[in-house]
Amino acid sequence: MASRNGVAQRGAVKLDRPVSFRTSSFKSRLPPSQSPGNGSAVRRSSPALFGSAGSKDDHAVPGRVRVAVRLRPRNAEEMVADADFADCVELQPELKRLKLRKNNWDLDTYEFDDVLTEYASQKRVYEVVAKPVVESVLDGYNGTVMAYGQTGTGKTFTLGRLGEEDTSDRGIMVRSMEDILADISPETDSISVSYLQLYMETLQDLLDPTNDNIPIVEDPRTGDVSVPGATIVEIKDQHSFLELLRCGEAHRIAANTKLNTESSRSHAILMVQVKRSVLGREDDVSSENGDPSHLTKPFKPLVRKSKLVVVDLAGSERIQKSGSEGHMLEEAKCINLSLSALGKCINSLAENSAHVPFRDSKLTRLLKDSFGGSARTSLIVTIGPSPRHRGETASTILFGQRAMKVENMLKIKEEFDYKSLSRKLEIQVDKLIAENERQHKAFEDEVERINLEAQKRISEVERNFADALEKERLKCQMDYMEAVKELEEKLVSNQKPNHCLVDGKWNGEGPGLSVSKEATELQELLQNEIDLRKMAEEELKNLKGQLGLYTQSEAGGDAEIFKLYKLLEEEAQQKKKLEEEIIILRSQLLQSNFEAEQMRRCLDRDGSGNGFTGLDSSMPPVRNSYPKDIGNGPKAPVSTLFEQVGLQKILSLLESEDANVRIHAVKVVANLAAEAEANQKRIVEAGGLTSLLMLLRSFEDETVRRVAAGAIANLAMNEANQELIMAQGGISLLATTAADADDAQTLRMVAGAIANLCGNDKLQTKLRSEGGIKALLGIVRCGHPDVLSQVARGIANFAKCESRACTQGIKSGRSLLIQDGALPWIVQNANDEAAPIRRHIELALCHLAQHEVNAKDMISGGALWELVRISRDCSREDIRSLAHRTLNSSPTFRAEMRRLRIDY
């Protein structure tokens, strides 16, 4: 027994073609009882099923386990021992399938999501198998990458190769961490790693060998499985992660067997915990009276916790071939028992069993979330080419086939980031306190300035008043002194004896007249003094009034400051309005940029139209979408704009006088309708459908009509909306638009909307009476393959609804399609080069031929020969079988084939 410090020698690996990562999946090989013709098909995954960053915790989306197979090149021993024998497997990577040789004449064929040859590079293996899972982990989902196969087939090479000698040999563990570190933000996000091994049903820590019995804890409320006793290491850069892997690999148990010189004797489990901070929008803060405040909480912090689990399973082995004995035999028994328990769990999940035995092994308990849980899982099964190990190869292939049937429900785990919110609120409070202190200081400085200015003016007025009063006092005093002096002089002069008394009376001029004159003069002087005093008092009163006014100006400073605050509030409201306009302009810029990207994708794709998942399934609706956000953030751009601006405001922009604003508003409505049925319902309830029909009716601008038709096509995917469109004259407006338009994109949107309406059984007669079929046949003048594909889809929908109505006894008589003259075009394009057009028309012919009343018209129109061709040469087995049954069940067709001597 030895510790692992290297990997087994592998064959040369090289890149055989440029990497082209594809997310689509293929059917797995099924027994005859579950073939597509019997109505049972393998569940598939598609890119849309894996969700987006905006998904909530309580909303799950389905995601099937994706399985890829990788062939190891022959080693030196096999080149000698098997030199005369062919490989037991034959790969067809372009068809994503392989053939397992049973003998020299018989082979079994299996299909996988991806088939990787012995020449596939490590980079290609990572991008095909692990990169989609890593991207989902960065978006907030749990993910698992696991390798399964016989010992010595390259599992550890695929997952754990460090690439020290050759960087191109780096395995999935190293490349996954490179992508994770490149995408996260070191300031807000964190990565932690645990590295464990499950050895003989004992969970051990590869980073701390003394911790050799770690318990597994299961949350009784959520069912989540965790290993709280494992060592957790924070990862900051790639170098520290490589050191951690070297440490773990040195402690992992390995041994030398006949099949592998360094055979892993334990299951290695690498757990990468990723925490990412995201932002969610919150509402405005309201004041006590209900009015929105100028302070807002723009975002609420959330933490997304996701986990990437990389599992390097120990190889399954047969004791006779590996030569294990003694303690190695006990190890092999534990390995095979745990792998057997995993196989039982996958079988139960694939068969939808009520009980899944996860508790039979610690390995299955650890992988409970990976199979049937909430993680996105990718499995790579490794096989060898040697015919000596055909049994082990066949067992590995069947394990992968069963795993492809397991379906998980993907969920995002988001938690409220209280610590981050607390830090941000503390910073915001500190900023507000500092701003309040600055404003208070400025207010106090302004009040002090006004007080100083008022005191200065009051002092100046008091000084001027005192000077004037002093001057007036001096003047009055001088006048008074002069008046007293004059009176004294007059009194002296009056005392001189200039009169005589005769007979007791004054003789001559008496003093009475002189005294009266003097008294009158004194009275005049006194009156003058009184007037002057009154004038001085009035001037003093005026000066006191001015002093009062200046005193009141100090109190007026507070009112002026309040006025300034009011102006600041008005400026804040104006700023808020400008921010709303910036949001609208930013959304328009985003739509314009993505519109260019959408046009480039349309030009690059090989074809258009929708395929059929099965004959009995309903026609897939056309979905016309304009720019969407595909990032991991919290939500999509259109959804964010919808929450920020509001549906009513968006719909009001449909009536804008600016054509560009109208176009962008219609695009936003179209995207909202394409995202979810709930959005469609809100748009219709708010009058959005009526507004879109008004645009078709009143505007002649080609772009407006094209975008409006695309939005109506999205709304027409809902049955209730289809009836509203018909009730409001929508089919007539679409027919008029189709007749006036020359642009291929506009015609494609109109044809897609009519094709969606053709799939409603209740609207057949009204659709035909209002010119829907005629409009579809008129659109074929365009000749563009995308347009013709939508026309063919509409005709196939209509024919299928007619067939269903005739079978139920609701309708009788010739087909409305034949009555409207659609049969010549159908026959002419039944063998079109474009696969979508051909498949739709072939299905339409089969539905029309199912009813005897249409047989004569179809024979005279040349459709019989096309039905015979379809029954023989159609690439779709279900359509080929339907055509064959239809020809055999129709007496008219059988008689005509006998007459024409068609060997059938």
Side-chain angles (χ1 to χ4, degrees), residues 478-659:
M478 293 298 296
D479 292 340
Y480 175 76
M481 295 297 294
E482 290 179 356
V484 170
K485 185 177 180 181
E486 185 177 353
L487 289 175
E488 289 178 348
E489 291 176 352
K490 290 182 178 181
L491 181 59
V492 170
S493 62
N494 288 333
Q495 289 178 355
K496 294 179 179 181
N498 50 2
H499 300 287
C500 57
L501 184 61
V502 179
D503 297 330
K505 296 182 180 179
W506 289 99
N507 187 18
E509 278 188 1
L513 182 60
S514 177
V515 171
S516 298
K517 185 177 179 180
E518 291 296 333
T520 302
E521 290 179 355
L522 288 174
Q523 288 178 354
E524 290 177 356
L525 291 173
L526 182 60
Q527 187 64 37
N528 290 335
E529 291 295 332
I530 292 173
D531 293 340
L532 290 173
R533 184 176 183 83
K534 287 181 178 180
M535 290 174 63
E537 289 177 352
E538 289 178 359
E539 186 174 358
L540 178 61
K541 185 177 181 180
N542 290 336
L543 292 174
K544 288 183 178 180
Q546 292 179 5
L547 179 60
L549 291 176
Y550 285 115
T551 304
Q552 292 177 359
S553 66
E554 180 180 357
D558 295 339
E560 184 177 356
I561 292 173
F562 290 143
K563 184 177 181 181
L564 291 174
Y565 274 124
K566 187 174 181 181
L567 289 175
L568 287 174
E569 291 178 358
E570 292 176 356
E571 288 294 331
Q573 293 176 358
Q574 186 67 20
K575 179 181 178 182
K576 184 178 179 181
K577 293 180 180 178
L578 291 175
E579 288 177 351
E580 293 178 355
E581 294 178 2
I582 289 172
I583 291 172
I584 296 174
L585 293 175
R586 189 176 298 162
S587 68
Q588 294 175 358
L589 177 59
L590 176 64
Q591 291 171 353
S592 299
N593 293 337
F594 205 90
E595 194 174 59
E597 178 67 16
Q598 193 77 0
M599 180 59 69
R600 182 187 67 78
R601 292 181 182 176
C602 291
L603 293 175
D604 291 341
R605 66 184 180 183
D606 295 332
S608 63
N610 300 80
F612 298 90
T613 59
L615 182 62
D616 295 332
S617 61
S618 56
M619 294 291 180
V622 65
R623 185 182 292 272
N624 304 295
S625 63
Y626 290 95
K628 294 183 181 179
D629 185 24
I630 56 177
N632 272 320
K635 296 186 176 180
V638 175
S639 301
T640 303
L641 181 65
F642 174 76
E643 295 176 359
Q644 292 177 349
V645 179
L647 181 59
Q648 289 295 340
K649 188 167 184 179
I650 295 174
L651 294 178
S652 66
L653 296 178
L654 295 176
E655 301 175 1
S656 174
E657 296 179 358
D658 190 340

Side-chain angles (χ1 to χ4, degrees), residues 51-290:
S52 63
S55 299
K56 299 297 182 185
D57 291 344
D58 53 347
H59 295 290
V61 293
R64 178 176 61 78
V65 174
R66 300 185 77 254
V67 181
V69 61
R70 186 183 193 186
L71 177 64
R72 172 182 58 77
R74 286 193 177 194
N75 54 31
E77 179 188 355
E78 292 170 344
M79 288 181 181
V80 175
D82 301 333
D84 298 331
F85 300 92
D87 291 349
C88 66
V89 292
E90 177 185 339
L91 304 185
Q92 294 178 328
E94 65 281 359
L95 299 178
K96 296 192 175 181
R97 68 187 182 190
L98 63 81
K99 294 183 179 180
L100 178 64
R101 194 181 303 278
K102 297 172 64 177
N103 49 48
N104 290 336
W105 304 275
D106 194 9
L107 297 94
D108 288 335
T109 303
Y110 301 89
E111 292 182 351
F112 288 91
D113 294 311
D114 283 287
V115 173
L116 303 166
T117 68
E118 62 270 36
Y119 303 107
S121 67
Q122 290 283 74
K123 180 179 180 182
R124 171 167 172 76
V125 172
Y126 169 73
E127 292 185 346
V128 167
V129 176
K131 189 169 184 178
V133 177
V134 174
E135 291 174 347
S136 295
V137 170
L138 291 172
D139 289 339
Y141 297 94
N142 289 342
T144 301
V145 180
M146 188 172 73
Y148 177 93
Q150 182 190 8
T151 182
T153 53
K155 299 183 297 301
T156 304
F157 178 85
T158 301
L159 295 182
R161 188 75 167 183
L162 300 182
E164 294 176 331
E165 297 83 10
D166 186 354
T167 57
S168 64
D169 284 345
R170 302 190 317 279
I172 287 176
M173 291 181 180
V174 177
R175 295 177 185 268
S176 299
M177 184 56 66
E178 288 175 355
D179 283 356
I180 293 174
L181 288 172
D183 191 81
I184 68 166
S185 173
E187 294 78 13
T188 59
D189 306 336
S190 65
I191 305 171
S192 58
V193 172
S194 298
Y195 201 11
L196 312 173
Q197 71 172 355
L198 183 61
Y199 175 68
M200 297 187 70
E201 284 302 298
T202 302
L203 193 60
Q204 301 176 358
D205 196 337
L206 289 175
L207 303 180
D208 182 11
T210 60
N211 190 6
D212 58 358
N213 191 8
I214 303 174
I216 300 175
V217 178
E218 184 172 348
D219 190 336
R221 183 176 59 87
T222 63
D224 293 337
V225 176
S226 61
V227 283
T231 301
I232 299 175
V233 179
E234 288 284 335
I235 299 298
K236 298 299 182 181
D237 52 38
Q238 187 70 9
H239 177 73
S240 61
F241 179 70
L242 291 176
E243 291 296 326
L244 181 144
L245 289 183
R246 291 191 189 96
C247 176
E249 287 297 315
H251 295 138
R252 188 178 178 188
I253 299 174
N256 184 3
T257 68
K258 292 181 180 180
L259 297 178
N260 190 356
T261 58
E262 291 189 357
S263 175
S264 301
R265 314 308 290 169
S266 64
H267 307 299
I269 304 165
L270 177 70
M271 296 182 177
V272 181
Q273 305 281 351
V274 180
K275 292 183 181 181
R276 306 199 70 180
S277 297
V278 294
L279 299 176
R281 186 74 182 175
E282 280 192 351
D283 297 329
D284 293 343
V285 180
S286 299
S287 59
E288 295 181 357
N289 58 3

Side-chain angles (χ1 to χ4, degrees), residues 186-190 276-279 299 301-303 416-431:
E187 294 78 13
T188 59
D189 306 336
S190 65
R276 306 199 70 180
S277 297
V278 294
L279 299 176
F299 297 102
L302 300 175
V303 172
F416 195 86
D417 191 358
Y418 292 98
K419 294 182 179 179
S420 175
L421 178 61
S422 176
R423 289 194 300 269
K424 291 181 179 179
L425 289 178
E426 287 177 357
I427 294 173
Q428 186 177 2
V429 168
D430 291 339
K431 289 182 178 179

Side-chain angles (χ1 to χ4, degrees), residues 43 64-65 341-358 364 367-375 377 399 401-409:
R43 292 172 289 184
R64 178 176 61 78
V65 174
L342 177 60
K344 290 179 182 179
C345 291
I346 290 179
N347 287 340
S348 299
L349 291 170
E351 295 170 2
N352 294 322
S353 175
H355 172 67
V356 181
F358 283 114
T364 54
L367 298 179
K368 182 178 180 181
D369 190 54
S370 303
F371 292 95
S374 61
T377 301
F399 179 91
Q401 291 285 290
R402 290 190 294 269
M404 289 178 67
K405 299 178 183 179
V406 177
E407 187 122 3
N408 296 347
M409 298 300 293

